[in-house]
Amino acid sequence: MKKRITIAIALFLAVVNYIAAENRVSITDISISAGETKEVSVLLDNETQYVAFQFDLYLPTGISLAGYEVNGERVPASTEVSMAQQEDGSYRFLAAAMAMEPIVGNNGGIITLKLKASANVVTGNRSGYLRSVKLSKEDGAGQTTFEVPFTVKVLKPSIVTAKSYTREYGEENPTFEYDVKGGELEGAPEISCEATAASPVGTYPIVVKKGTVTNYSDSYVNGTLTITKAPLTITAQSCTIKQGETLPNFEVEEALTKKPTITCIATSGSAVGTYDIVVSGAESGNYDIAFANGTLVIADADPVTVTAKSYTRAYGDANPTFEYTSEGKALVGTPEISCEATTVSPVGTYPIVVKKGAVTNYNDSYVNGTLTITKAPLTITAQSCTIKQGETGRGFDKEANYYMHCNIWKCCRHL
């Protein structure tokens, strides 16, 4: 009965010391993969000045101590630190203050442990302990902690797979992500792809690497970025010209491997109206191409009016040189102008006809002139003559079917 009470009191005091202590030794939780060796620090937080320490390290099955290093920044060089493995498999660490120099500072690592996981260690969370933790001051007094637990997480092998994506040519890359199977990943992998918005249609590897991952048993599987053709509509440029003007040139997308054929049945001489501009035949490795026709509108050319000048002449005169005037757009070429009247055409009016001739203008019109033939002046003079009284009146010469008679002789000239 006394033994049980003693044990109970000892456990109680240990728990009180562990809970209430502001001076403590601890190990942070550890994540490790099968076959991996990992470093972990034994930490000392102390408000009191200590010169020596001791603790027993208990590791879970499959985890062993591969070595250790003393933190010389906290533990004085005169302090001897030793380690010995106990019969129960634990590791006892003992720091003896040969010169009674105190441990430097109030927090941080005092020993770095190198822990190794066996190749066949069972995955999952395992418990480890620091037991019989003792801290000693220069006068030999100190503090004892019964047990300080920590967790050793044995990770499953981690398979990191980059996700695959599909996007259209010309678009920016998506934000690349990854999936993890197996053990929880510690850290972040590096993921990249050489494709840019300008990269042609095709497939590109999305490469995933270790990056800042600290897992030991990890592997990486690349993904794929597939760049597909982007939609492209090639639209013929619509335009309006005036009749007779030169057809414009049309521009097309430069990224095409085969440029389109652009046709229009209209010419500069086509009649006023609307004509399709047909685009077809383009090819591109980076675009799915659709075509949209344009429209060519041929409007009336600027008008020009050609008017024949009018003239008046007397009967029997030769025709004048016929001329014309033009109004509106400048006349290109020479019109044809004519009149059927001749020098012997009788008195009257005759059209002076003006026609296109060699004129190349469009939207041209023609207005005829008039040739007016007026009577010519004519003086008819009776022929003078002398006869003797009693002589028979003589006949007068005939001129152009006219007959002459005299008043006495009843002569006169008659048409």
Side-chain angles (χ1 to χ4, degrees):
M1 186 68 172
K2 182 177 181 180
K3 185 177 182 180
R4 289 184 181 179
I5 294 172
T6 302
I7 293 174
I9 293 172
L11 288 173
F12 173 75
L13 291 174
V15 172
V16 169
N17 282 336
Y18 173 67
I19 294 174
E22 294 178 348
N23 301 292
R24 67 191 184 95
V25 176
S26 63
I27 292 180
T28 57
D29 291 343
I30 306 163
S31 294
I32 194 169
S33 300
E36 182 181 9
T37 298
K38 200 162 191 178
E39 293 185 350
V40 60
S41 291
V42 178
L43 304 174
L44 171 61
D45 294 322
N46 57 294
E47 291 186 349
T48 303
Q49 196 172 65
Y50 294 106
V51 298
F53 60 83
Q54 175 186 312
F55 61 84
D56 293 339
L57 172 65
Y58 287 82
L59 297 173
T61 302
I63 307 296
S64 60
L65 180 65
Y68 70 94
E69 291 181 359
V70 177
N71 183 359
E73 293 183 0
R74 295 207 66 193
V75 180
S78 62
T79 300
E80 293 184 0
V81 178
S82 61
M83 185 277 295
Q85 189 168 9
Q86 308 299 304
E87 291 183 0
D88 62 0
S90 64
Y91 304 90
R92 173 162 291 178
F93 286 83
L94 177 62
M98 308 305 293
M100 293 298 174
E101 291 184 69
I103 293 173
V104 178
N106 300 106
N107 56 69
I110 51 175
I111 293 178
T112 300
L113 305 175
K114 294 182 180 180
L115 304 183
K116 182 175 181 178
S118 64
N120 59 353
V121 64
V122 178
T123 60
N125 291 341
R126 299 287 183 272
S127 294
Y129 304 93
L130 295 179
R131 288 177 175 159
S132 301
V133 181
K134 298 178 181 180
L135 298 173
S136 297
K137 295 185 289 185
E138 186 177 353
D139 62 2
Q143 173 181 309
T144 300
T145 304
F146 175 69
E147 183 175 276
V148 179
F150 59 90
T151 299
V152 177
K153 181 188 293 185
V154 180
L155 302 175
K156 294 180 181 178
S158 300
I159 301 174
V160 182
T161 302
K163 292 182 179 180
S164 293
Y165 296 86
T166 298
R167 68 164 174 85
E168 292 179 351
Y169 168 78
E171 293 181 347
E172 295 296 330
N173 287 337
T175 300
F176 298 122
E177 297 180 348
Y178 57 88
D179 290 321
V180 179
K181 291 183 179 180
E184 181 181 347
L185 205 61
E186 300 288 337
E190 174 188 336
I191 190 165
S192 63
C193 182
E194 66 178 6
T196 67
S199 297
V201 166
T203 56
Y204 300 82
I206 301 172
V207 179
V208 60
K209 298 179 181 179
K210 192 173 186 73
T212 61
V213 172
T214 58
N215 295 58
Y216 182 78
S217 182
D218 48 343
S219 59
Y220 299 87
V221 180
N222 292 339
T224 301
L225 174 65
T226 301
I227 300 179
T228 60
K229 291 184 177 183
L232 174 67
T233 299
I234 300 178
T235 302
Q237 180 184 356
S238 296
C239 59
T240 299
I241 63 171
K242 293 179 180 178
Q243 191 178 27
E245 292 180 347
T246 302
L247 295 180
N249 293 323
F250 302 101
E251 296 181 355
V252 295
E253 168 63 47
E254 291 296 333
L256 303 176
T257 55
K258 180 181 178 182
K259 293 186 177 182
T261 300
I262 302 176
T263 59
C264 183
I265 64 172
T267 66
S268 59
S270 295
V272 170
T274 301
Y275 302 85
D276 285 335
I277 301 171
V278 179
V279 58
S280 62
E283 295 178 1
S284 173
N286 296 323
Y287 293 98
D288 279 326
I289 300 175
F291 301 97
N293 292 341
T295 300
L296 173 66
V297 177
I298 299 180
D300 282 325
D302 293 334
V304 59
T305 301
V306 181
T307 302
K309 293 183 179 180
S310 293
Y311 297 86
T312 298
R313 70 166 174 84
Y315 167 79
D317 289 345
N319 287 338
T321 300
F322 298 122
E323 295 181 348
Y324 58 87
T325 60
S326 64
E327 294 181 355
K329 188 176 181 181
L331 194 65
V332 181
T334 304
E336 175 189 336
I337 191 166
S338 62
C339 183
E340 66 179 3
T342 66
T343 56
V344 296
S345 295
V347 169
T349 57
Y350 298 85
I352 301 172
V353 179
V354 62
K355 298 180 181 178
K356 191 174 186 74
V359 172
T360 58
N361 294 63
Y362 295 88
N363 197 18
D364 47 342
S365 60
Y366 299 87
V367 180
N368 293 338
T370 300
L371 175 63
T372 302
I373 300 178
T374 61
K375 290 181 179 182
L378 178 64
T379 301
I380 302 176
T381 304
Q383 182 180 2
S384 297
C385 61
T386 302
I387 64 170
K388 293 180 179 180
Q389 190 176 26
E391 289 181 349
T392 303
R394 54 177 292 185
F396 300 97
D397 293 336
K398 296 181 179 178
E399 292 181 16
N401 296 323
Y402 293 97
Y403 295 92
M404 305 298 297
H405 299 277
C406 180
N407 185 32
I408 298 177
W409 296 99
K410 306 295 184 184
C411 66
C412 67
R413 191 174 189 182
H414 177 68
L415 180 61

